[in-house]
Amino acid sequence: MHQQSLQQIPRLVVLISGSGSNLQALIDAITAGTIVATIELVISNKPEAMGLTRANKAGIATQVINHLEFGSREAFDRELMHAIDDKQPELVVLAGFMRIFTPELTHHFHGRMLNIHPSLLPQFKGTNTHERAIEAEVDQHGASVHFVSSELDGGPMVLQALVPVEDLDSPRVLAARVLVQEHVIYPIAIKWFCEGRLKLQNNLVLMDGHRLPVEGMKFQS
Ligand code: GAR
C-alpha cells in the first residue's frame, strides 16, 4: 500500500497543445481515486486547445502561454518555467504538448517531467509517427512514456504499449488504436510516480528501487 496523507498529495501541472484526451484520462483516473494527486494547473501554448475546455469542465485552473507572443524559444521557456514553478509541482506531465524545449528547461525539470509519445521509441521520434510506421511497414507500433531529457523524444524510458498494425490501417485508424493504449499506460506511469515507486536517479529509471531495462516496461492489452 502507498497511502498518502492530505499534506503529501502530489501536485501536477499538465501541458497541452490540443485535444487533451490524455489530460482527460488523467482527470478521470484522479476522479476515480485511482491516482491520488491534484492537477494544480493546465497550461496550453494554443488558446484554442480543446483540452482547456476539458480542464475548465473539471474545475481545474488553466493558463494560455502562446508561443507566438514570444520573440525566442528561450523567452517562451522562461515564462513557462515561471508559471510551472509558481505551482511547485512534484511532476510536470506533457500531454500532447507540441513544443521543443531548451536544454535549460529540460535540466530544470530533470527527473520530474514525463512525456507520452505515439511510437515505440526510439523508432519514429518527432511528428507524423503513424504515417511513418505505416510507410515503414512495421507490424508493431505503439506509445511510449518516458522522462524528458534535452534530447527530443530521447529521455529515459518508463513504459511502452505495443499496438499491432493491421494491413489496411490508415494513419487515422492506427492513431486511434494507439491513443486507446496511451490512455491506459500514461495514468499507470503517473500513478507510479505519484506513489513514489517510479524515480529517475543518476539518469536511470528505478521502479520500486530496481533499475528498468533501457527499453522500459512493456504493456500489451
Ligand atoms: C497524443 O497522441 C500524444 O502521444 C501526442 O500527441 C497526442 C495528443 O493527444 N504527443 C506527441 O506527439 C508529443 N511528441 P491528446 O491531446 O488527445 O492527449
Side-chain angles (χ1 to χ4, degrees):
M1 281 294 284
H2 297 272
Q3 285 286 345
Q4 294 148 315
S5 77
L6 263 183
Q7 276 171 331
Q8 293 169 319
I9 291 181
R11 294 175 299 270
L12 312 179
V13 169
V14 183
L15 272 52
I16 60 165
S17 298
S19 154
S21 69
N22 277 290
L23 165 66
Q24 189 66 58
L26 177 57
I27 292 171
D28 293 347
I30 291 173
T31 306
T34 313
I35 297 175
V36 180
T38 60
I39 302 176
E40 296 293 317
L41 180 64
V42 170
I43 300 175
S44 173
N45 65 309
K46 296 207 171 181
E48 72 281 7
M50 222 258 272
L52 291 169
T53 310
R54 296 181 192 270
N56 287 332
K57 274 192 186 149
I60 299 165
T62 60
Q63 186 173 347
V64 174
I65 304 178
N66 188 340
H67 62 280
L68 298 174
E69 291 171 4
F70 293 80
S72 68
R73 195 176 290 283
E74 286 72 20
F76 171 71
D77 276 13
R78 270 196 299 275
E79 183 68 24
L80 202 53
M81 271 192 272
H82 285 142
I84 297 170
D85 283 348
D86 191 49
K87 300 297 175 192
Q88 299 188 306
E90 275 71 35
L91 179 66
V92 182
V93 175
L94 304 183
F97 189 69
M98 304 304 278
R99 299 293 303 164
I100 294 173
F101 290 132
T102 55
E104 190 191 348
L105 187 144
T106 54
H107 287 140
H108 184 69
F109 293 113
H110 180 78
R112 51 195 183 105
M113 180 180 264
L114 288 174
N115 182 41
I116 189 154
H117 181 78
S119 78
L120 294 177
L121 291 170
Q123 284 186 311
F124 311 124
K125 295 178 178 180
T127 55
N128 302 321
T129 59
H130 310 298
E131 287 89 331
R132 288 155 62 208
I134 290 171
E135 270 167 28
E137 299 184 356
V138 293
D139 297 329
Q140 289 268 8
H141 186 41
S144 306
V145 177
H146 64 94
F147 281 100
V148 173
S149 73
S150 56
E151 190 194 335
L152 177 67
D153 299 326
M157 191 58 61
V158 176
L159 183 58
Q160 294 191 317
L162 306 177
V163 175
V165 183
E166 310 289 353
D167 282 349
L168 297 175
D169 273 349
S170 65
R172 210 162 57 87
V173 166
L174 183 56
R177 193 179 305 124
V178 171
L179 203 55
V180 170
Q181 296 307 314
E182 292 187 37
H183 300 161
V184 176
I185 62 168
Y186 213 8
I188 290 175
I190 294 165
K191 176 182 169 70
W192 287 339
F193 187 95
C194 289
E195 291 175 344
R197 301 179 62 192
L198 175 68
K199 289 192 170 85
L200 190 66
Q201 257 174 28
N202 302 324
N203 224 31
L204 299 173
V205 181
L206 301 184
M207 180 69 191
D208 295 333
H210 301 288
R211 189 180 162 180
L212 288 187
V214 281
E215 68 277 14
M217 279 176 278
K218 296 281 182 271
F219 182 91
Q220 191 150 29
S221 62

